[in-house]
């Protein structure tokens, strides 16, 4: 029996029942830009970076089930431009001051910006006022950098079996919350060894220890773009400087 | 102080659950328990949390940290979870020290009716007694300017009425003692067709349908060609069929009465005048798909309908039209347009923030609490009941082949006779404009901000799914209205109502709104067009996928 | 080739001159570059007024009304205007003050801050007044090219200048697109 395939532009992508476009494409060794997708977690579909075109409609590859012979358009000028604009929206929406951020060079948002050819955000920054939370002994929270991907929320629930993070507010007032009566991360059950403490793709959930051991310029995405490196963190066990 | 003290007999006890009253403010756990017992009539749990918050908010004026702690304890959760709900729903507040909250409807229609001046007038005179703010459309564009005071609508506002309201506030007259006529909500039915003349007798209707074969009912609805009246126009019979065909231990019927699309108020009138027809339609659906539970998701803006509808349901129960075989309960919204999206609505019924789910799976497969669920609009259920009684052939006698039957339009704006018009599908827009006395009509917004803007070149078009999907809202604008102001109002609406889940809608709407506020000569129209298109193309749900439309219609017309 | 040299003007608005330092940090490449360009108004020449130029390099964002005035002069006189560095592009570190009001910033700096003596908020009319927020230069004028980085590498400056000479779009290869 031949495995079923679908088409990513002109590439045949084999897939198994239950796979999404994203998981099948990744398994076939190709890269679709993404921030909120993680292979160990339930698909989410919020960052919208993995947009592809199917039957004339734009869909998120991470939440779209693979189907036999489906034609998935991926690499077009317009889609690449829209992916870049979505990254630019994220930059404009938060306070992303790369020069003063510890994860610069390891940041997946920044890496996608580099890879998608962003030199600046065409959208003027919104400069929101967001909270920081220094109550936890191991993890510092700087919401200026939050992109609401909910990797922390989902990994705490699904991998650590804990209810630590959530999203609250709405629209322009969306924010990351810590599940405790005080609302402080220090009053939750989060520990340094939890997966959720080491999954943030940006610098919002920042480990307090071990920073600046690798100098700027020698970090994860300084030499190689994210479409080659993949979405990683230096502390996820897959990085050797 | 007329407001009650903790150790004194509580005057608000004299008023009913969620009735028009001034909140008491001092937290009292026993009293809260009583209200919640009255609301649920059974032990309540985490999934009831949103409904509980609405009751607490209404009777205590806000959900203070003490109340949050109490609720968290009851639901075995943490305060952060309670606050996550409060911060999502516009009508819930953490702490409001003033006795009353007044929210002015701020749709473009009310803006044109002079809302800003009235709001400022009230704000200046009562700032120590009430918090005055704006909210989205409250479904009263035909009798505005209008506002909600502790959830109850004040209609036909003008400077004199505002002065009188300010006086009541200054004298701290309890809300339950304000003149009833200030709260009168008119029906304004201008043209009634078959549906608005339909008053089924549940005493006949319910036994009749229960004797019928569920498959035959679904076939009849399919033959009638009934399509969803919420705007999307999905074939109702097919939806019911899919739901019935999904194996499950139980199923749900949900009536979407979260009529949030600005300029729409037809469902409000249907629930005021034809609640029996709507309940009949829900019972019909329940029988057809094998569901024993029906839920009306009533938008918070229609709180004034809660008590009458509850009473009506109680009457149905005493008549045994409702019971073990099928029962209906009402869930209230709390100010969130996005909850009109069917999966966000289901999340809200489950007591969560109204974030639209990933589709597929669709609600007919995986809906409320994971069970197969039919979600239909108020008018759809009423029309289904009509079909069950009058037959599919009679239904198809009006309308067009692709859009059978009639449709109820809510008309507002620059016309002599705003109100409700029931017309066959396929009626040209200009015929409706003539009927409502829109003599100087330049622009018409069909289907609300998420719909289409039509100028005179499109007035001959028929109102039908195959041309422009009407949805239910018709807003009329004359030559004195600036298209840019309309685009600004609608874009601000989408920015306020975006749930915040996906990047393009959350961030894109903020930037569209900000950039559109600039003086028109400073607007970079090319960049704005690209962004509006991006938001439409790449957003997660129907809200975001239409949020760029007002900008695009303005650009197409004024900067082609 | 004896083509006319490109006229280049530079300035640092709400910046730290780090971008200027990086520009000069190009070792022997500067020998070739000096055949290609001559400076008009710039901290490097100390010329205070700007004439007609081919390229204007703007370092720093806008924090006061004098910044806006200088930027507008550059825009009027430069054929190609380049936003140089993180601050010009998104406000950068100076934009950290955007979460406070101007009054709060002034009070912290001149009245209540650590080590303040003779506390007094300066009010000399000669002093430029602060904008409510620090903003990127493209909020106010059209910008032709963007050189990201804190600072941008010297090679990126060379590429921009060569691109203008050759009348083409600059190509910022992966190592030149840096935000830190």
């Amino acid at each position: 029996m031949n495995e079923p395939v679908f088409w990513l532009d002109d590439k045949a992508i084999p897939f198994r029942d239950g796979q999404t476009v994203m998981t099948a494409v990744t398994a076939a060794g190709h890269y679709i830009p993404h921030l909120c997708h993680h292979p160990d977690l339930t698909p989410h579909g919020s960052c919208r970076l993995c947009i592809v075109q199917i039957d004339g409609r734009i869909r998120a590859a991470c939440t779209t089930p693979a189907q036999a012979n489906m034609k998935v358009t991926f690499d077009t000028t317009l889609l690449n431009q829209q992916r870049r604009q979505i990254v630019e929206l994220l930059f404009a929406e938060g306070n992303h001051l790369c020069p003063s951020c510890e994860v610069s060079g390891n940041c997946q948002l920044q890496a996608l910006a580099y890879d998608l050819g962003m030199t600046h955000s065409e959208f003027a920054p919104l400069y929101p006022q967001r909270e920081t939370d220094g109550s936890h002994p191991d993890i510092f929270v700087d919401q200026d950098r939050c992109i609401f991907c909910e990797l922390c929320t989902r990994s705490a629930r699904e991998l650590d079996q804990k209810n630590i993070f959530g999203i609250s507010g709405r629209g322009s007032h969306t924010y990351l919350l810590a599940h405790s009566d005080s609302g402080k991360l220090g009053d939750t059950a989060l520990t340094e060894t939890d997966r959720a403490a080491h999954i943030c793709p940006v610098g919002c959930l920042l480990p307090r220890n071990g920073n600046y051991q690798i100098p700027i310029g020698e970090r994860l995405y300084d030499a190689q773009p994210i479409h080659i490196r993949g979405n990683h963190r230096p502390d996820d066990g897959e990085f050797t400087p | 102080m007329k407001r009650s003290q903790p150790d004194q007999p509580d005057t608000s006890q004299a008023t009913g659950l969620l009735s028009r009253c001034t909140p008491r403010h001092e937290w009292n756990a026993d009293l809260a328990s009583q209200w919640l017992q009255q609301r649920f009539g059974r032990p309540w749990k985490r999934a009831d949390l949103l409904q509980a918050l609405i009751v607490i908010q209404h009777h205590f004026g806000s959900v203070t940290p003490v109340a949050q702690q109490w609720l968290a304890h009851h639901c075995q959760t943490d305060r952060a979870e309670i606050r996550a709900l409060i911060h999502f729903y516009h009508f819930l507040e953490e702490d409001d020290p003033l006795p009353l909250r007044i929210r002015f409807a701020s749709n473009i229609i009310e803006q044109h009716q002079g809302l800003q001046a009235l709001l400022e007038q009230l704000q200046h005179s009562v700032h120590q007694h009430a918090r005055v703010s704006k909210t989205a459309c409250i479904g009263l564009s035909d009798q505005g300017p209008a506002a909600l005071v502790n959830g109850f609508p004040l209609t036909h506002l003008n400077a004199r009425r505002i002065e009188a309201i300010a006086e009541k506030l200054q004298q701290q007259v309890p809300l339950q003692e304000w003149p009833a006529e200030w709260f009168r909500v008119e029906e304004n039915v201008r043209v009634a067709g078959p549906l608005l003349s339909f008053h089924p007798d549940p005493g006949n209707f319910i036994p009749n349908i229960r004797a019928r074969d569920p498959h035959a009912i679904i076939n009849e609805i399919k033959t009638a060609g009934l399509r969803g009246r919420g705007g999307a126009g999905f074939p109702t019979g097919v939806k019911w069929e899919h739901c019935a065909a999904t194996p499950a231990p139980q199923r749900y019927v949900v009536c979407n009465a979260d009529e949030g699309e600005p300029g729409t108020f037809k469902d409000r009138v249907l629930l005021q005048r034809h609640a029996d027809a709507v309940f009949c339609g829900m019972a019909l659906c329940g029988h057809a798909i094998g569901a024993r539970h029906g839920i009306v998701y009533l938008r918070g803006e229609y709180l004034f309908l809660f008590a009458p509808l509850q009473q009506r349901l109680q009457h149905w129960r005493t008549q045994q039209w409702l019971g073990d075989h099928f029962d209906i309960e009402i869930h209230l919204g709390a100010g969130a347009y996005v909850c009109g999206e069917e999966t966000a609505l289901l999340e809200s019924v489950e007591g969560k923030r109204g974030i639209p789910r990933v589709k597929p799976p669709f609600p007919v497969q995986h809906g409320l609490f994971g069970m197969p669920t039919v979600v239909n609009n108020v008018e759809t259920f009423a029309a289904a009941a009509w079909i069950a009684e009058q037959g599919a052939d009679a239904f198809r006698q009006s309308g067009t082949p692709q859009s059978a039957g009639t449709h109820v339009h809510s008309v507002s704006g620059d016309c002599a006779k705003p109100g409700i018009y029931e017309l066959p599908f396929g009626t040209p827009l200009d015929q409706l404009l003539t009927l409502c006395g829109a003599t100087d009509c330049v622009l018409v917004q069909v289907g609300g901000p998420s719909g289409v803007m039509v100028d005179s070149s499109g007035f001959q078009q028929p109102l039908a799914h195959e041309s422009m999907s009407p949805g239910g809202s018709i807003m009329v604008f004359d030559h004195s209205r600036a298209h840019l102001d309309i685009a600004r109002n609608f874009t601000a609406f989408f920015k306020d109502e975006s749930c915040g889940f996906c990047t393009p809608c959350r961030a894109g709407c903020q930037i569209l709104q900000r950039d559109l506020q600039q003086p028109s000569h400073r607007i970079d129209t090319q960049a704005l067009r690209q962004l509006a298109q991006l938001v439409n193309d790449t957003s997660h749900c129907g809200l975001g996928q239409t949020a760029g439309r007002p900008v695009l219609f303005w650009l197409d017309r004024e900067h082609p | 080739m004896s083509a006319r040299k490109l006229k280049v003007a530079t300035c640092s608005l709400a910046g730290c001159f780090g971008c200027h330092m990086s520009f000069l940090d190009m070792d022997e490449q500067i020998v070739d570059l000096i055949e290609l360009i001559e400076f008009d108004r710039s901290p490097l020449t100390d010329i205070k007024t700007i004439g007609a130029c081919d390229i204007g390099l703007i370092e720093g964002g806008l924090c006061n009304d004098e910044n806006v005035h200088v930027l507008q002069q550059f825009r009027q006189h430069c054929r190609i205007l380049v936003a140089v560095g993180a601050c010009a592009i998104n406000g950068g570190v100076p934009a950290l003050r955007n979460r406070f009001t101007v009054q709060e910033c002034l009070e912290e700096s001149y009245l209540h801050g650590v080590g303040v003596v003779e506390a007094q908020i300066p009010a000399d009319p000669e002093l430029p007044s602060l904008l409510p927020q620090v903003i990127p230069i493209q909020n106010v004028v059209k910008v032709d090219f963007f050189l990201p980085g804190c600072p941008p590498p010297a090679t990126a400056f060379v590429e921009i200048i060569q691109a203008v000479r050759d009348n083409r779009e600059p190509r910022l290869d992966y190592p030149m697109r840096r935000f830190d």
Side-chain angles (χ1 to χ4, degrees), chain B residues 63-347:
Chain B
V63 189
T64 56
V66 188
Q68 292 167 22
Q69 198 70 58
W70 185 81
L71 288 161
H73 182 74
H74 183 97
C75 299
Q76 293 179 315
T77 180
D78 49 74
R79 259 185 65 205
E81 180 138 353
I82 313 271
R83 295 176 78 221
L85 284 173
I86 296 172
H87 293 174
F88 182 83
Y89 293 96
H90 281 328
F91 291 175
L92 301 178
E93 313 250 2
E94 272 210 276
D95 208 354
D96 193 346
L98 298 180
L100 281 170
R101 165 76 113 159
I102 298 180
R103 293 183 167 88
F104 281 77
S106 65
N107 184 21
I108 187 67
I109 303 298
E110 286 86 2
Q111 187 180 314
H112 287 156
Q113 288 165 344
L115 116 92
Q116 192 62 34
L118 297 175
L119 183 146
E120 283 166 18
Q121 184 194 344
L122 189 63
Q123 215 157 27
H124 287 144
S125 45
V126 302
H127 58 92
Q128 304 124 314
H129 305 287
R131 270 170 79 184
V132 179
S133 61
K134 290 185 193 176
T135 188
C137 179
I138 61 174
L140 294 165
S141 303
D142 61 335
Q143 45 204 296
L148 295 172
V149 52
N150 201 24
F152 280 76
L154 294 156
T155 55
H156 291 299
L157 294 174
N158 53 35
R160 269 179 52 204
R161 179 61 53 82
I162 292 287
E163 213 173 290
I165 290 169
E167 215 165 277
K168 296 281 184 215
L169 286 165
Q170 283 152 357
Q171 293 164 1
Q172 300 181 40
V173 177
L175 194 53
Q176 51 271 38
E177 291 167 25
W178 291 20
E181 74 205 54
W182 293 1
F183 296 91
R184 188 171 300 140
V185 176
E186 293 160 1
E187 293 170 354
N188 289 336
V189 174
R190 310 287 184 177
V191 176
L195 204 60
L196 291 174
S197 317
F198 180 48
H199 297 281
D201 172 8
N204 289 326
F205 187 95
I206 298 295
N208 278 348
I209 57 148
R210 289 185 65 195
R212 288 176 64 181
D213 172 31
H215 296 290
I217 293 174
I218 291 177
N219 280 334
E220 176 119 53
I221 300 295
K222 280 169 74 179
T223 312
L226 175 62
R227 295 172 66 169
R229 300 299 198 235
F234 189 83
T236 305
V238 176
K239 189 184 270 187
W240 292 14
E241 192 171 46
H242 284 318
C243 185
T246 307
Q250 60 175 319
R251 299 185 180 77
Y252 291 98
V253 177
V254 174
C255 175
N256 185 345
D258 193 52
E259 186 175 47
E261 193 65 46
T264 320
F265 43 88
K266 59 162 185 99
D267 293 341
R268 188 247 301 155
V269 174
L270 283 166
L271 290 169
Q272 279 178 282
R273 282 173 39 122
H274 301 271
D276 277 354
V278 177
F279 296 156
C280 282
M282 291 178 70
L284 175 77
C285 176
H287 181 61
I289 66 169
R292 293 195 296 122
H293 302 284
I295 286 153
V296 176
Y297 186 88
L298 184 68
R299 67 188 303 226
E301 290 81 348
Y302 294 167
L303 181 65
F304 75 103
L305 289 173
F306 179 77
L309 290 175
Q310 284 284 43
Q311 277 167 23
R312 194 66 200 156
L313 287 174
Q314 202 46 48
H315 177 69
W316 272 53
R317 282 182 203 110
T318 57
Q319 300 296 314
Q320 296 185 325
W321 303 332
L322 293 175
D324 287 342
H325 58 287
F326 185 74
D327 208 339
I328 295 174
E329 55 181 290
I330 302 175
H331 278 241
L332 278 162
Y337 166 73
V338 71
C339 289
E341 199 281 339
E342 57 179 2
T343 59
L345 184 151
L346 296 176
E347 289 285 299

Side-chain angles (χ1 to χ4, degrees), chain C residues 105-126:
Chain C
C105 292
L106 290 171
E107 288 177 8
E108 178 64 21
S109 304
Y110 294 106
L111 298 182
H112 313 308
V114 178
V116 171
V117 288
E118 291 178 42
Q120 181 190 357
I121 293 177
D124 191 321
E126 292 271 296

Side-chain angles (χ1 to χ4, degrees), chain A residues 169-191:
Chain A
R170 98 177 191 204
S172 54
H173 301 293
T174 302
Y175 66 93
L176 180 69
L177 70 81
H179 273 294
S180 63
D181 285 338
S182 65
K184 294 287 179 202
L185 191 62
D187 293 329
T188 67
L190 181 78
T191 63

Side-chain angles (χ1 to χ4, degrees), chain A residues 107-139:
Chain A
C107 172
Q108 293 167 34
L109 175 68
Q110 186 192 57
L112 279 165
Y114 291 169
D115 213 7
L116 293 164
M118 169 181 158
T119 55
H120 68 290
S121 175
E122 65 182 77
F123 313 110
L126 285 158
Y127 299 124
Q129 298 224 356
R130 298 212 188 135
E131 299 293 314
T132 54
D133 176 0
S135 62
H136 196 278
D138 301 310
I139 300 293

